[in-house]
Amino acid sequence: MEQFDKIVIGSGQAAPALAAQLAKRGFRVALIEGDQLGGTCVNNGCTPTKTLRKSAKVAHMVKHAEEFGVSAGDVQIDFLAAMERMRERVNTSRAGLTQWLNSFDNIEVIFGWGQFAGKDGDKFLVDVDGRRLAAPDVFLNTGTRSFTPPVTGLDSVRHLDNRGLLALNERPSHLVIVGGSYIGLEMAQIFRRLGSEVSILHRADALAEREDSDVSEIIADMMKDEGVNLYLEAAMTSLAPTENGGVTVTLGDGEVLDASHILFATGRVPNTENLALESVGVECDDRGYIKTNPQLQTNVPGIWALGDVNRRGAFTHTSYHDHEIVLASLDGMQDLYQWKGADQRPTTYAMFTDPPLGRVGLSMTDAKKRVAEGQNILISDMKMANVSRAKEESETRGLIRLIVDGDTEQFLGATVFGLNGDEIISVITNYMATGASYRIMQQALPVHPTVSELLPTILAGLKPLTAE
């Protein structure tokens, strides 16, 4: 039995940083990974998709070059070259992470599927690749994987998740995407711009339905303008293979779609079933996510759960932030500016379509519910079509929406859908962390010409929100 001070299982965005910080504090750390270092983000999430998004954006800009006084001629897309560029970026990123972790003398990276094997006194036992490790503290960062719902004929056809899609070497002639939420929308736009016919099947009557209805409408218009076929409130009844290796998709109304490829972007499930959590008594919810308190401690002292697997934020940035919360707890939370718990942070994220959507805190729909309960809330909108920088760049789709508490004057939420929305939302997110009044931002000196320079102007137009 091998003794360690700390064991980290999984190497998503929380784990490497946590392992490094623990090592710097003098602990001997085992970092266990069952697949590839870096987790979803590095290998089949953020890094590859944003790299491929750039290729798609360049193709889109070149096709529209004449609008800017540039003649580009006939545009040819080398799909394989774009995919190889993406893979090179992934390999470089993973190699850099590997080199960095190996630079720590007291971190041992162990490849294999780690699982608990009970306790020995005050130490947890973890088996991996024929070895038995022991440590008093274990940190779980095993993440999630794609969920594919049961459909008649599913086993008879070639179907893709996000990993399979990014492994393609040939461009799909017709990509059917099941799911019209964030991942599905990003992939739809990317592959449409790279030359595929794309169809989205979505169960709801609006795309990205957790957004405000006007935002969902803008997203739908954007997709339709780029030639993406939308099937809303669509249900599949069956799938069947075609002679050329494609798939026939039969919808509930009897319509049949012939696709070369089908991608399921229908949610995620946690990677917890092989951890043998029952051997140490760690509790999960009914979907397999590990229950934690705001400091990310499980019901078993000495075991923490970080990242997607704790259901406290399914994003790379929340996973990374989790490691800071854990360190604050381990350090005794002595620093005034350390985050003390996950319940403090507002939900913030981006959808990386082009233009992107940035969101933090309450939507207008959420805010109206608060108003109905008696809260005093102020709101102000501005269309991107009224933003000079957006007009100068012919990027006028979208809006900016700011929501504040009428009594405390603190920000409650924001939506920035449009040019640089994924970057601008961080201005609001960071400001919310200060707890300051919106009036301070309203009096700030912005840089011209930018999109964010309009934030003080929008704040000057705040008006009471009604529940209707």
Side-chain angles (χ1 to χ4, degrees), residues 130-171:
R131 299 166 63 179
R132 173 155 291 184
L133 316 181
D137 296 314
V138 179
F139 306 88
L140 305 174
N141 187 212
T142 53
T144 60
R145 64 186 184 279
S146 295
F147 167 72
T148 302
V151 182
T152 300
L154 180 67
D155 293 339
S156 67
V157 302
R158 177 181 60 173
H159 54 280
L160 305 171
D161 58 11
N162 59 309
R163 297 182 65 145
L165 183 70
L166 298 177
L168 295 177
N169 290 322
E170 295 184 4
R171 178 175 54 207

Side-chain angles (χ1 to χ4, degrees), residues 83-127:
M83 299 299 279
E84 289 297 340
R85 174 180 178 270
M86 172 195 71
R87 290 166 189 148
E88 181 180 359
R89 177 81 281 276
V90 170
N91 292 337
T92 300
S93 181
R94 189 170 57 243
L97 176 60
T98 301
Q99 183 178 15
W100 179 63
L101 287 171
N102 288 337
S103 70
F104 292 90
D105 292 335
N106 48 342
I107 295 179
E108 182 176 355
V109 177
I110 303 171
F111 288 97
W113 296 98
Q115 66 174 204
F116 286 103
K119 294 191 70 174
D120 181 15
D122 63 348
K123 296 184 177 181
F124 298 99
L125 304 180
V126 176
D127 290 341

Side-chain angles (χ1 to χ4, degrees), residues 402-419:
L402 305 179
I403 301 172
V404 304
D405 188 305
D407 297 325
T408 67
E409 298 187 347
Q410 294 178 334
F411 276 95
L412 296 176
T415 298
V416 185
F417 184 25
L419 179 65

Side-chain angles (χ1 to χ4, degrees), residues 32 56 163 166 179-180 205 225 276 288 316 355 367 374 460:
I32 300 171
R163 297 182 65 145
L166 298 177
D205 61 358
D225 288 348
T316 292

Side-chain angles (χ1 to χ4, degrees), residues 13-15 17-18 21 25 294-296 306 317-333 335 337-342 345:
Q13 288 304 295
L18 177 63
Q21 289 299 323
R25 285 159 171 77
Q295 285 70 49
L296 311 179
L306 301 83
H317 50 276
T318 51
S319 180
Y320 185 86
H321 194 255
D322 281 356
H323 105 273
E324 296 177 323
I325 291 173
V326 169
L327 287 174
S329 179
L330 294 175
D331 291 344
M333 295 186 285
D335 188 336
Y337 299 102
Q338 281 181 303
W339 288 84
K340 306 303 190 292
R345 64 192 183 197

Side-chain angles (χ1 to χ4, degrees), residues 389-409:
R389 178 63 179 272
K391 288 186 283 188
E392 290 154 7
E393 300 205 15
S394 293
E395 296 277 0
T396 56
R397 194 186 301 273
L399 57 81
I400 302 174
R401 172 167 293 148
L402 305 179
I403 301 172
V404 304
D405 188 305
D407 297 325
T408 67
E409 298 187 347

Side-chain angles (χ1 to χ4, degrees), residues 9 113-119 124-127 132 140 142 271-284 290 300 303:
I9 303 179
W113 296 98
Q115 66 174 204
F116 286 103
K119 294 191 70 174
F124 298 99
L125 304 180
V126 176
D127 290 341
R132 173 155 291 184
L140 305 174
T142 53
N271 296 319
T272 54
E273 71 276 16
N274 295 320
L275 288 172
L277 296 173
E278 66 282 356
S279 71
V280 289
V282 171
E283 295 179 356
C284 297
I290 299 173
V300 178
I303 300 179

Side-chain angles (χ1 to χ4, degrees), residues 233-254:
E233 297 183 284
M236 289 183 297
T237 57
S238 65
L239 303 173
T242 62
E243 292 183 358
N244 60 0
V247 56
T248 296
V249 184
T250 302
L251 305 182
D253 61 2

